[in-house]
Amino acid sequence: MLHILVVDDNPEIRDLLSRFLRKHDLKVSTARDGYEMRECLRNGPVDLIVLDLMLPGDDGLRLCRDLRADSAIPVIMLTAMGEETDRVVGLEMGADDYLTKPFSPRELLARIKAVLRRTGAAAEHSDRPNSGGRIMRFAGWTIDLIRRELRSPEGALVDLTGGEYDLLVAFVENPNQTLSRDRLLDITRSRAASAFDRAIDVQVSRLRRKIESDPDQSMIKTVRGVGYVFTVAVERV
């Protein structure tokens, strides 16, 4: 059973989400703050964290940054309506998605399922057989589509968030094709873009820092006013 950790200082929200998510066959733990969140993580594996931005003590941005220092657990951040800057910063810190308050528990459940599919956590709990063509290579880099792993030309394992991984897969599966921001948002986050949403730009910037050592030889080119294009050859094994 997939394990969801809800971190929110509002007891009504914790209770509502716990009851709702458990009705949909998810194991749920709750925490009021960063201290209780860390205690829960020490007690056993967690598949996804729903993390409120505004918390007593360490806020959600600090906790997300600390998580990303040594963990790839998917994070959905909860933010107040209109806090676009905080949402962008949350993505830069490594959050996989965000949801603005007030929100529908059903929408949160849909986001949880989408992020778990993207990060591969749901697949680890299924009996789905492996398929062929699981390895993709580009410029010395290797992606294992089953294990959802990226290795550098030197063979080192590179830590990617779920959003960064899905963005990279979208690029390598469509090399030398211009992909609009709307399409990339649809592929990686399953929601419509808004005119002020910089989510894809943030994710691309983070991905570039991880796979491009020379900014003058970028693999991900910006197509002004449209989107991005992945410019290197890709081989599927």
Side-chain angles (χ1 to χ4, degrees):
M1 182 180 292
L2 291 163
H3 186 190
I4 309 301
L5 173 57
V6 177
V7 185
D8 198 300
D9 62 334
N10 187 320
E12 294 181 359
I13 291 179
R14 294 198 307 271
D15 181 63
L16 170 66
L17 294 182
S18 295
R19 289 185 285 106
F20 181 81
L21 296 176
R22 284 169 182 150
K23 287 181 181 178
H24 290 82
D25 300 321
L26 294 168
K27 177 183 177 181
V28 182
S29 297
T30 63
R32 294 177 297 178
D33 53 25
Y35 175 80
E36 291 190 356
M37 182 190 83
R38 296 184 183 99
E39 284 294 307
C40 183
L41 292 173
R42 280 192 285 267
N43 290 334
V46 170
D47 294 294
L48 182 142
I49 300 174
V50 178
L51 180 61
D52 187 29
L53 175 68
M54 301 299 296
L55 292 170
D58 292 339
D59 64 17
L61 295 177
R62 171 67 181 271
L63 293 174
C64 187
R65 184 185 67 187
D66 291 348
L67 275 170
R68 283 296 166 259
D70 57 7
S71 171
I73 298 174
V75 173
I76 296 179
M77 186 153 306
L78 303 180
T79 70
M81 184 69 71
E83 294 178 338
E84 182 190 355
T85 300
D86 289 329
R87 294 197 297 270
V88 171
V89 173
L91 291 168
E92 291 175 338
M93 292 293 184
D96 296 273
D97 202 351
Y98 65 79
L99 194 60
T100 56
K101 295 181 177 181
F103 59 87
S104 160
R106 290 188 178 276
E107 182 179 3
L108 176 61
L109 177 62
R111 296 289 185 90
I112 288 173
K113 290 181 177 179
V115 169
L116 289 173
R117 284 195 300 269
R118 296 200 309 260
T119 59
E124 293 176 4
H125 291 260
S126 72
D127 296 323
R128 184 177 61 189
N130 293 349
S131 59
R134 60 181 281 180
I135 304 297
M136 302 186 79
R137 295 185 178 133
F138 64 93
W141 294 77
T142 302
I143 301 178
D144 188 321
L145 298 176
I146 301 301
R147 295 182 178 178
R148 294 180 66 89
E149 291 180 349
L150 172 67
R151 291 190 179 274
S152 72
E154 294 75 30
L157 190 63
V158 179
D159 183 31
L160 297 177
T161 67
E164 291 164 0
Y165 174 85
D166 285 339
L167 184 63
L168 179 58
V169 170
F171 282 132
V172 299
E173 289 185 338
N174 300 276
N176 298 306
Q177 296 182 40
T178 299
L179 301 177
S180 69
R181 288 177 174 81
D182 285 8
R183 185 177 176 190
L184 290 169
L185 274 168
D186 187 52
I187 291 171
T188 62
R189 303 188 59 206
S190 301
R191 69 177 184 80
S194 77
F196 302 102
D197 198 330
R198 290 178 49 210
I200 287 298
D201 298 323
V202 170
Q203 296 279 28
V204 168
S205 177
R206 288 172 55 88
L207 184 59
R208 279 172 169 161
R209 290 198 294 268
K210 293 183 177 182
I211 68 172
E212 295 178 353
S213 58
D214 185 354
D216 294 329
Q217 297 182 359
S218 178
M219 290 185 277
I220 305 172
K221 299 288 188 182
T222 301
V223 181
R224 189 177 298 277
V226 180
Y228 299 93
V229 58
F230 196 65
T231 60
V232 298
V234 178
E235 174 189 13
R236 186 186 288 269
V237 181

